[in-house]
C-alpha cells in the first residue's frame, strides 16, 4: 500500500489502531428456577431484542423427512394456547411484537423484538408459543406450501446448486448434508405428529440459552425467564450425533448446466473452534480470502485478472465438523484460468506464509471490526447468542483481544502448514463443466 | 501539516419545528460549497456510520450508455491524486472498518462503518475521491471485465433476475427508469473513459451531495472535521434540476409472459404507476397505509384471503417506495401453491381488489395498519446505517427533512376513505403491467 501524499500516510497507522473497548457490559441473570440469561441493558431506545436457541437444528431431521425442523420453525407462531393462527398473529401485530423462529445447522433459534411498553404481552405470547403450540393440520398445509415454493426458488439459483453439489459429496454420510427446506417429496411425508415430536424432544430447560438486550432490568429479566421458559420439560431428549468423517480423497464434482456463468464452491476440513490456534487461523483466512479487497485471492482473481465479481473464503466451525469454504463465479471459458490462479495463490500462501506487516494488518482489522458488529440491540443480541452457542464465555471480548494480539507470523505459518494444504480442497462446479477435470459428473438437484 | 482552515460560514438549519412525532431528529448543516452535512445520534454504538449520497444514478446515464453511473461507482475505489487504487479500502480495513457502495436508479451512495477515533480519516478519504478521482484508462479496462462478470452473475444464472430486467424495461417503455442499473452487455462495452470523466465532473460536486454521520459523535467534532476535509473542496455549480423530463409512456402490453426451462416455481407480479411523495405527500401516505393493509406480513388482507382462506398462494408481497426522484410505483407479487396456476391467481387477486374497491376498508383494519407503521418508526432506529440510508435517500432525491421527520404525522392523518381513494386510483391507472414467469411448458 503506497500513498502519493504524506497527508494520508500520516493519518494511517504504524500505530495499528488500538481499538477502543468494545465489550458490552453483560450481566448474567439467574432466575428463581435456575434458568440463566445474558443481559445488556440499554435505555436509549424503548426497545428490547431477545434471542434464544435450543440444541438441534436441520441435521436432526430424518433422512426421508428433510425440512421438518424448518417447518416446525414456521409453525411456532401459527396458533398457541387459546388462540388460533389468525388470532395469535393478530395479537402479535396489535402489540407490534416481532417474533420469529428458524432452524439452522446445530441450533433451533428464536428471536423476539418488542417495545418496552409491550413486554408483558410479549412474554405471555412467547410462553404460549413454546409450551402450547397448536401445530394444526391447516397451518401445516400452509407451511408446506410456502416451504415447497421456497425450495423450488432455490433450485433455479446456480449458487445454491453449487453448494448443494459440494455438501452432497462432503456430507454424503452425515446429516449435515440434509436440505434445510427439504424437497417437495420429503415434505409430503411430514405429519403433524412429526412436528409435535420435534418440539417435545427439543424444547427443554436444560438446553436453552437466552440473551436479552435493551430497555429491561435485571429483575424484570429474571421474572420473565421463568414465565417464558419455566413451563418447558426439564430435559431434552436427543441422541448425540457422530462427528463428520471427511472423504479420504478430495474430489471435483461437476454439474453441467446451460445458461449463465460457471460457479465454484470449495471446502476442506479445518481445526475446531476450541483449538488454541483458532485466532491464527482467523488471521490466515482473512489474508487468503476473508478480507474482501484486502485478500490475496480477491487481489489476484478480481483486481488483477478481472475474472470474477467476487471470490472469498470463510471459516465455518460447527458442532460436529469444521471447515474452510469459499466460492466464485466466472465466465465459462475463463474457468480453467481462474482455477489455476486461485490454486497458485493458495499454494504460495501455504508454502511461504505471510509477512509481519500482513499479519499486523489482519489483526488490526479483526480487532477493530468487533466494534462495527455491535451497533444495535439486534446485532449485539445476535453476537451474544453466537458466543453462548459456541461456549466462548462471558469474558469473550477481553479474551479475544488478548489472543488476537498474541498471534505472530510464526503462528500463522504453523497453522498454514497444518490446515491450509490446497490439495485437500474438494470442489463443486456448476455450469459449462465439459472442459474441467471432473472426478464425478452429477445432475442438478431437481426436486 | 493540515493547511489553515479557510474562512467558512455554515447555514445552520436545525429542524425541530414539526409539531408531532419525529423519527430521527437529525441536525443538518450546509457548508459554503453547498455540501449538506447530516448528524444522526446513536447512543448505543461505539462505531459510527458515514454515508455520502450523490444525486446522480442510472437515470442520468447518457443515452446508449446505460451503466455509466454504476461503472463510475466501481472506479471510485481506484486511484485519486493522493491515493493509489486499493488504498481507500485498505485504510478503512486497517482500523477494522468496512466500506462499500451501491448505485440506484436515482442516486449513488458510498458508505463506511468504522470504530471510534477515525471520523477524520473516513471524511478525509471520502472527500479526496469526491474531489480528485483520476480514472486511469488501464484500470478502467480491467474493471470492465469485472462489471461484465457481475452482470452475468446477477442476470444470467437465475431466470427470476432476467425476468426482473425485462419486466422493468417493458413497464417503463423507453423511460430511463427502464434501464438496467448495471447496463447491458452492449452498453457496458461502449462506455469510455471520457463518459466516466464527464459524469464525474458534472455530478460529483459538493452541492450535489449529502454527507451523513450516524453514531455517538459530537456535533462540534463533525463540523470541525467536515470543514477541514469536505469544506476545502471548491464550490461547483449545481447539477441542475433533479426532475426527470422524459415523458412517460404506458407499456404497449398489459401482460408480459416469460418462460424458461430453469424455472421451478412460477409467480406473477403487477406493477402500477402511482404518486410519489413529491407528487402528493398526503396521498403517498395513503398509499403507504394501503400497502400495509393489503400486504402487512401475515395480517395483511391479501395474505388472509389468498394464503389462509383460499389456500391458493404460498406467499404474497406488496411494495411501495414513495421517496423517488421520478414517478413511483406500487407492486403486488404472488407465488401460487405447488401446481397452482399463476394466471388464475392473478385474475383472482384482481377481482378481489375490485370487490374491495366497492366495499371499502374498515376503520379497524386501517387503524391497525397505521399503528404498525407508526411503531416501525421506533424499530427502525435500532440500526446504525438504516437511519442514514433513509435520510440520505430522501435528501439526495430532492426532498427536505420533513419528508422523513413528518412521516408519522402524515400517516396518523390517513383515514379509511383515503385508503379507499388510493385503491381506486391504483385500479383506475392505465400505466400498469402484469408479468408472469412460468415454467417452460406452462400453457
Amino acid at each position: 500500500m503506497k500513498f502519493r501524499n504524506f497527508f494520508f500516510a500520516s493519518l494511517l497507522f504504524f500505530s495499528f489502531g488500538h481499538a477502543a473497548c468494545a465489550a458490552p457490559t453483560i450481566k448474567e441473570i439467574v432466575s428463581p428456577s435456575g434458568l440463566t440469561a445474558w443481559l445488556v441493558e440499554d435505555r436509549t431506545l424503548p426497545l428490547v431484542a431477545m434471542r434464544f436457541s435450543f440444541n438441534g437444528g436441520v441435521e436432526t431431521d430424518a433422512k426421508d423427512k428433510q425440512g421438518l425442523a424448518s417447518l416446525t420453525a414456521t409453525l411456532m407462531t401459527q396458533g398457541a394456547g387459546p388462540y388460533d393462527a389468525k388470532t395469535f398473529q393478530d395479537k402479535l401485530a396489535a402489540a407490534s411484537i416481532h417474533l420469529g423462529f428458524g432452524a439452522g445447522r446445530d441450533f433451533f433459534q428464536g428471536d423476539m423484538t418488542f417495545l418496552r411498553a409491550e413486554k408483558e404481552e410479549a412474554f405471555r405470547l412467547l410462553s404460549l408459543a413454546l409450551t402450547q403450540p397448536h401445530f394444526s393440520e391447516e397451518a401445516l398445509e400452509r407451511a408446506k406450501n410456502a416451504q415447497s415454493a421456497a425450495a423450488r426458488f432455490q433450485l433455479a439459483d446456480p449458487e445454491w446448486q453449487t453448494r448443494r453439489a459440494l455438501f452432497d459429496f462432503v456430507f454424503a454420510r452425515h446429516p449435515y448434508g440434509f436440505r434445510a427446506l427439504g424437497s417437495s417429496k420429503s415434505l409430503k411425508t411430514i405429519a403433524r405428529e412429526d412436528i409435535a415430536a420435534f418440539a417435545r424432544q427439543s424444547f427443554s430447560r436444560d438446553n436453552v440459552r437466552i440473551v436479552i438486550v435493551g430497555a429491561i432490568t435485571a429483575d424484570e429479566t429474571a421474572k420473565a425467564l421463568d414465565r417464558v421458559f419455566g413451563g418447558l420439560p426439564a430435559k431434552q431428549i436427543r441422541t448425540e450425533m457422530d462427528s463428520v468423517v471427511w472423504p479420504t480423497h478430495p474430489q471435483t464434482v461437476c454439474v453441467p448446466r446451460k445458461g449463465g456463468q460457471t460457479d465454484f464452491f470449495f471446502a476442506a476440513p479445518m481445526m475446531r473452534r476450541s483449538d488454541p490456534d483458532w485466532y491464527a487461523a482467523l488471521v490466515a483466512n482473512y489474508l487468503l480470502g476473508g478480507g474482501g479487497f484486502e485478500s490475496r485471492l480477491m487481489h489476484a482473481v478480481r483486481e488483477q485478472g478481472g475474472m470474477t465479481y467476487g471470490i472469498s473464503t470463510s471459516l465455518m466451525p460447527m458442532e460436529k465438523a469444521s471447515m474452510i469454504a469459499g466460492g466464485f463465479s466466472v465466465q465459462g471459458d475463463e474457468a480453467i484460468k481462474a482455477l489455476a490462479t486461485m490454486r497458485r495463490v493458495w499454494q504460495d500462501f501455504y508454502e511461504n506464509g505471510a509477512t509481519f506487516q500482513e499479519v499486523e494488518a489482519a489483526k488490526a482489522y479483526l480487532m477493530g471490526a468487533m466494534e462495527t458488529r455491535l451497533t444495535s440491540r439486534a446485532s449485539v443480541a445476535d453476537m451474544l447468542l453466537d458466543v453462548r452457542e459456541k461456549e466462548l464465555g462471558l469474558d469473550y471480548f477481553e479474551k479475544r483481544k488478548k489472543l488476537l494480539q498474541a498471534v505472530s507470523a510464526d503462528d500463522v505459518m504453523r497453522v498454514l502448514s497444518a490446515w491450509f494444504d490446497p490439495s485437500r480442497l474438494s470442489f463443486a462446479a456448476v455450469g459449462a463443466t465439459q472442459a474441467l477435470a471432473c472426478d464425478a459428473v452429477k445432475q442438478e438437484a431437481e426436486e | 501539516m493540515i493547511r489553515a482552515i479557510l474562512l467558512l460560514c455554515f447555514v445552520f438549519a436545525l429542524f425541530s419545528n414539526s409539531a408531532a412525532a419525529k423519527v430521527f431528529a437529525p441536525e443538518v448543516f450546509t457548508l459554503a460549497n453547498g455540501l449538506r452535512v447530516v448528524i444522526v445520534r446513536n447512543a448505543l454504538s461505539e462505531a459510527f456510520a458515514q454515508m455520502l449520497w450523490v444525486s446522480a444514478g442510472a437515470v442520468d446515464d447518457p443515452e446508449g450508455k446505460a451503466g455509466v453511473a454504476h461503472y463510475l461507482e466501481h472506479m471510485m475505489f481506484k486511484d485519486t491524486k493522493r491515493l493509489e487504487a486499493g488504498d481507500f479500502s485498505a485504510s478503512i480495513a486497517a482500523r477494522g472498518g468496512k466500506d462499500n457502495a451501491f448505485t440506484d436508479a436515482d442516486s449513488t451512495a458510498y458508505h463506511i462503518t468504522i470504530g471510534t477515533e477515525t471520523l477524520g480519516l473516513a471524511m478525509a478519504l471520502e472527500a479526496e475521491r469526491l474531489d480528485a478521482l483520476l480514472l486511469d484508462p488501464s484500470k478502467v479496462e480491467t474493471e470492465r471485465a469485472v462489471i461484465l462478470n457481475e452482470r452475468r452473475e446477477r442476470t444470467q444464472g437465475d431466470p427470476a433476475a432476467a425476468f426482473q430486467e425485462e419486466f422493468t424495461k417493458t413497464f417503463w417503455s423507453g423511460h430511463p427508469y427502464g434501464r438496467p442499473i448495471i447496463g447491458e452487455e452492449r452498453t457496458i462495452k461502449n462506455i469510455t473513459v471520457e463518459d466516466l470523466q464527464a459524469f464525474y465532473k458534472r455530478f460529483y460536486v459538493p452541492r450535489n451531495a449529502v454527507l451523513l454521520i450516524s453514531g455517538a459523535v459530537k456535533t462540534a467534532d463533525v463540523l470541525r472535521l467536515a470543514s477541514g476535509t469536505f469544506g476545502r473542496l471548491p464550490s461547483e455549480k449545481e447539477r441542475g434540476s433533479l426532475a426527470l423530463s422524459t415523458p412517460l409512456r404506458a407499456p404497449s402490453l398489459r401482460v408480459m409472459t416469460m418462460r424458461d426451462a430453469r424455472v421451478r416455481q412460477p409467480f406473477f407480479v403487477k406493477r402500477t404507476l402511482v404518486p410519489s411523495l413529491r407528487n402528493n405527500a398526503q396521498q403517498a401516505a395513503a398509499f403507504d397505509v394501503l400497502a400495509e393493509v393489503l400486504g402487512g406480513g401475515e395480517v395483511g388482507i391479501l395474505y388472509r384471503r389468498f394464503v389462509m382462506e383460499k389456500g391458493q398462494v404460498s406467499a404474497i408481497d406488496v411494495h411501495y417506495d414513495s421517496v423517488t426522484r421520478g414517478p413511483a410505483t406500487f407492486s403486488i407479487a404472488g407465488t401460487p401453491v405447488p401446481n397452482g396456476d399463476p394466471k388464475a391467481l392473478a385474475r383472482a387477486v384482481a377481482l378481489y381488489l375490485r370487490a374491495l374497491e366497492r366495499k371499502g376498508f374498515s376503520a379497524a383494519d386501517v387503524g391497525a395498519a397505521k399503528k404498525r407503521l407508526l411503531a416501525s418508526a421506533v424499530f427502525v432506529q435500532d440500526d446504525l446505517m438504516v437511519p442514514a440510508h433513509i435520510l440520505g435517500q430522501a435528501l439526495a432525491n430532492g426532498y427536505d427533512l420533513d419528508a422523513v421527520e413528518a412521516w408519522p404525522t402524515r400517516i396518523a392523518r390517513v383515514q379509511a376513505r383515503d385508503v379507499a381513494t388510493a385503491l381506486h386510483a391504483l385500479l383506475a391507472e392505465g400505466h400498469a403491467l402484469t408479468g408472469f414467469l412460468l415454467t417452460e411448458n406452462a400453457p
Side-chain angles (χ1 to χ4, degrees), chain A residues 3 25 69 89-90 115 121 188 209 263 283 295 302 309 315 365 411 434:
Chain A
F3 293 88
T25 308
Q89 284 292 323
D90 280 339
L115 299 163
E121 181 70 345
K188 281 200 184 77
R209 59 195 67 70
D263 285 41
V283 167
S295 73
R302 171 168 161 163
Y309 175 53
L315 302 183
Y365 172 78
D411 293 327
Q434 329 66 278

Side-chain angles (χ1 to χ4, degrees), chain B residues 314-330:
Chain B
S314 306
I316 201 118
D317 186 66
V318 180
H319 184 75
Y320 169 60
D321 179 16
S322 66
V323 192
T324 49
R325 264 167 70 183
T329 64
F330 193 100

